[in-house]
Amino acid sequence: NEATYSIDTTSDNGYILAGYKDNATTNWNIYVVKTDSSGNIQSGWPKVFGSVESDAGWVKTCKNGDYIVWGGWNDPVNQPHLRRLDPNGNTIWFNNYQNAGSSSVVDEFSDLIELENGDFVLCGYFYDSIINNPVGFMLKTDSLGNEKWRRKLQKRNNDNYLYSITQTPDGGFVMSGNVFPDGGGTTQDGWIIKVDSVGCLIPGCAVGIGEFQVSGLEFRVYPNPSEGKFILEIIEEKNKAENDLFIRVTDIFGREI
């Protein structure tokens, strides 16, 4: 079986399509097809990219004529995936962007825009181990796929999904998706969220210390800075005793609280 999820025009007046194709193990692989203006598949295409599990993708034409593919990549766990192809379909680079604390198949990019400077901004969703449900997120990379920042976005404690993103005239971004009600149920509500140019719902969210790793400990603190409440995630080495760990909280000027 084959299916396409997205289509875009190409610099030679043809079309580029992406979706998935069944592989020999009945799982899916990312499937990218280039056609001429009449819809005929061109020589050297399609291209298939996949892990050992099921993967799927979307595609757009870059400003310079390359193609950018995004979606999910399931090896060893599902991760948001980004891949750049040259006009002949050869991979220039690819990256996966696993979210800390996520090991679910619900973890992928769903939409992408290319900025005037060649950077990419994406939205999607991942399974958050704190609330045990999917949450929305957005991520920005440079033209080589190097991550610049990412933001977790959440409306409720139940499922939160982001499916579409566009840039606004003020340089920020607006995204849309859907959320499910807290307490269960099968109904859902539409979700529209507007952030500034650095992905902040509240101005200043990008100020503060960055996430870091030291002595085998991985820390995630968000929101950072905080207006009173924050979440601290710590992934600890298995052989490190709990009494070896202490936490010190400071304000933005370094004064201990």
Side-chain angles (χ1 to χ4, degrees), residues 105-121:
V105 295
V106 184
D107 204 336
E108 66 180 24
F109 292 130
S110 52
D111 198 14
L112 168 149
I113 55 174
E114 182 183 10
L115 304 184
E116 287 299 322
N117 65 354
D119 289 353
F120 299 107
V121 182

Side-chain angles (χ1 to χ4, degrees), residues 52-217:
V52 296
E53 300 292 341
S54 291
D55 318 296
W58 291 255
V59 67
K60 281 185 180 179
T61 302
C62 298
K63 298 182 185 301
N64 72 342
D66 291 344
Y67 307 116
I68 190 73
V69 179
W70 70 94
W73 187 269
N74 199 349
D75 184 17
V77 297
N78 208 61
Q79 306 167 69
H81 180 75
L82 189 61
R83 179 182 296 261
R84 188 167 191 147
L85 309 178
D86 67 19
N88 295 316
N90 302 307
T91 296
I92 300 174
W93 53 257
F94 74 90
N95 283 316
N96 295 324
Y97 306 87
Q98 185 176 0
N99 287 286
S102 178
S103 60
S104 169
V105 295
V106 184
D107 204 336
E108 66 180 24
F109 292 130
S110 52
D111 198 14
L112 168 149
I113 55 174
E114 182 183 10
L115 304 184
E116 287 299 322
N117 65 354
D119 289 353
F120 299 107
V121 182
L122 305 98
C123 73
Y125 44 87
F126 74 95
Y127 191 87
D128 191 324
S129 60
I130 298 297
I131 66 171
N132 292 320
N133 276 311
V135 296
F137 83 106
M138 63 184 303
L139 182 143
K140 184 177 182 179
T141 78
D142 63 18
S143 61
L144 300 177
N146 300 305
E147 181 178 334
K148 289 189 170 182
W149 49 257
R150 73 175 69 192
R151 305 282 181 255
K152 172 184 170 182
L153 301 166
Q154 178 184 343
K155 177 66 175 179
R156 296 175 179 163
N157 288 327
N158 208 331
D159 294 9
N160 304 255
Y161 297 98
L162 289 172
Y163 296 126
S164 179
I165 184 172
T166 191
Q167 192 170 28
T168 53
D170 62 0
F173 306 96
V174 63
M175 291 160 284
S176 63
N178 65 280
V179 294
F180 286 78
D182 292 336
T186 58
T187 61
Q188 55 185 291
D189 295 321
W191 182 25
I192 299 177
I193 183 169
K194 168 72 166 64
V195 298
D196 64 18
S197 61
V198 290
C200 292
L201 183 61
I202 300 174
C205 77
V207 179
I209 62 171
E211 296 175 7
F212 61 94
Q213 184 170 345
V214 59
S215 301
L217 297 176

Side-chain angles (χ1 to χ4, degrees), residues 213-219 236-237 240:
Q213 184 170 345
V214 59
S215 301
L217 297 176
E218 181 180 338
F219 291 82
E236 190 175 4
E237 286 182 339
K240 181 174 284 290

